[in-house]
Amino acid sequence: MTWTKKDLLDIDSLSRAEISLILDTAAGLKEISERPIKKVPTLKGKTIVLLFLEASTRTRVSFDIAAKRLSADSISISAASSSIIKGETLIDTAKNIEAMRPDMLVIRHSAAGSPHLLAGRLSCGVVNAGDGMHAHPTQALLDMMSVREVKKQIAGLNIAIIGDIAHSRVARSNITGFTRMGAHVRLAGPPTMIPAGIERMGASVAGTVDEAVEDADVIMMLRIQKERQKPFLMPSEREYAARYGLNSARLKRIRPDALILHPGPVNRGVEISPEAADGPQSIILDQVTNGVAIRMAVFYLLAGGVRHADSD
Ligand code: CP
């Protein structure tokens, strides 16, 4: 197959071969970050604008680092430092940025579909860095890369995703990504945080967290997205930790070779205990490291770096 896409908007629009191409490209680029001089001239002369209109630490910093490691010029804009606070619309903001001829625009926005809207209006490449509760494609790609590094393949694995599924773009992108790559995805969490009909995405819903994690190869814990819950959908964080968290008691019952993932930011002691987050089964910081490689791969491919993928 040939890489032809101008934009990276979601996992749904990627074929299995395209996902494999991104993962393979990222695996090849990862060693650049281990060199004493962490820079190659691949995207010299390219300009990448990072428009982050929602809070972010990992995603914004790793997109910025990824651009710089490939020698692209990157410019970061936040809501507070842009003229959006003066009333300029998203489309006007994006069209004005486009008039300065960037090659790619990375956008994080609270409104689902905003990257898709811009992709249809802009000639530069658009990369979705998280849109509302809809999609976070580079997060799912870095999660798949992190799992594949340890488990060698994704097909056939049992993936448990636990927590606030309803408000999680990470969950949606990972359900699509892992099932497309041949894994079995099982979900669990408070009934108020499991959306009706989620099985249509290809995942199954377990009755309890223990049922979901007991034979899981991968356990992905999610943060309660309080900022998207009005009102808070649990009586208390303490009750949540006891019933749905990866706590010390539950940690003893999971498979010894199960990997523990979390997209961050972590609420320690709520969805995950420090023992689980920092223990030998956790690959949470490897996920962050791989985020740079995945975002380098996305920039490289969208800029036309690799045109042909090996079929999977
Ligand atoms: N995983 C993730 O999207 O983290 P940030 O919100 O810090 O970017």
Side-chain angles (χ1 to χ4, degrees):
M1 61 85 61
T2 304
W3 184 268
T4 55
K5 289 185 165 59
K6 174 177 89 68
D7 312 296
L8 180 75
L9 301 177
D10 49 39
I11 297 290
D12 303 67
S13 56
L14 298 179
S15 67
R16 191 170 169 152
E18 286 170 325
I19 293 172
S20 294
L21 173 62
I22 297 171
L23 301 187
D24 293 345
T25 304
L29 293 169
K30 186 175 173 178
E31 62 84 22
I32 294 167
S33 296
E34 305 305 324
R35 296 179 189 176
I37 308 290
K38 303 175 179 63
K39 210 176 196 41
V40 293
T42 314
L43 296 189
K44 197 168 166 52
K46 301 285 184 190
T47 304
I48 299 173
V49 175
L50 310 175
L51 182 58
F52 274 70
L53 303 179
E54 259 195 340
S56 170
T57 297
R58 281 146 290 271
T59 312
R60 186 174 60 79
V61 173
S62 62
F63 268 117
D64 203 359
I65 288 176
K68 289 179 165 68
R69 296 228 161 124
L70 294 172
S71 297
D73 297 311
S74 60
I75 295 97
S76 210
I77 307 171
S78 67
S81 65
S82 78
S83 287
I84 284 179
I85 56 169
K86 300 178 200 164
E88 191 170 40
T89 66
L90 175 63
I91 295 283
D92 281 338
T93 300
K95 293 297 279 183
N96 277 269
I97 291 170
E98 185 187 41
M100 294 180 245
R101 304 287 180 261
D103 298 283
M104 283 174 253
L105 175 72
V106 179
I107 177 161
R108 170 170 284 197
H109 199 284
S110 59
S114 43
H116 303 67
L117 178 72
L118 296 188
R121 305 259 186 129
L122 304 180
S123 56
C124 67
V126 175
V127 180
N128 184 359
D131 61 326
M133 298 187 288
H134 173 232
H136 195 348
T138 56
Q139 178 69 46
L141 289 162
L142 73 87
D143 291 339
M144 288 187 273
M145 177 180 181
S146 303
V147 168
R148 196 180 74 158
E149 266 182 353
V150 181
K151 298 290 185 184
K152 306 305 170 201
Q153 64 170 32
I154 295 171
L157 293 178
N158 292 319
I159 314 287
I161 305 181
I162 312 296
D164 183 3
I165 310 293
H167 300 91
S168 177
R169 56 195 176 204
V170 174
R172 285 180 181 76
S173 288
N174 268 307
I175 293 168
T176 306
F178 276 106
T179 54
R180 189 150 298 167
M181 300 307 283
H184 312 288
V185 178
R186 204 179 299 162
L187 311 172
T192 49
M193 299 183 203
I194 305 283
I198 191 77
E199 294 92 339
R200 285 198 293 272
M201 292 188 73
S204 60
V205 178
T208 63
V209 172
D210 289 314
E211 191 190 317
V213 301
E214 67 181 355
D215 64 345
D217 301 290
V218 173
I219 300 170
M220 184 182 297
M221 303 306 297
L222 300 176
R223 182 176 66 87
I224 309 172
Q225 307 241 340
K226 272 184 168 175
E227 70 275 25
R228 301 189 207 280
Q229 291 189 13
K230 291 183 183 53
F232 183 39
L233 295 171
M234 279 294 291
S236 70
E237 288 186 348
R238 194 172 161 159
E239 181 177 339
Y240 186 92
R243 293 182 60 182
Y244 303 104
L246 188 52
N247 50 38
S248 323
R250 199 162 270 135
L251 189 59
K252 292 191 182 86
R253 297 199 291 270
I254 67 173
R255 283 173 54 152
D257 62 347
L259 301 177
I260 297 170
L261 281 75
H262 192 304
V266 166
N267 285 318
R268 286 170 180 268
V270 183
E271 72 272 6
I272 190 166
S273 68
E275 278 175 273
D278 304 328
Q281 291 176 256
S282 169
I283 58 165
I284 293 172
L285 293 179
D286 300 300
Q287 292 173 263
V288 180
T289 301
N290 286 334
V292 174
I294 283 292
R295 286 152 186 147
M296 288 169 77
V298 168
F299 288 150
Y300 182 62
L301 291 166
L302 293 189
V306 173
R307 307 304 300 181
H308 297 283
D310 297 332
S311 71
D312 59 340

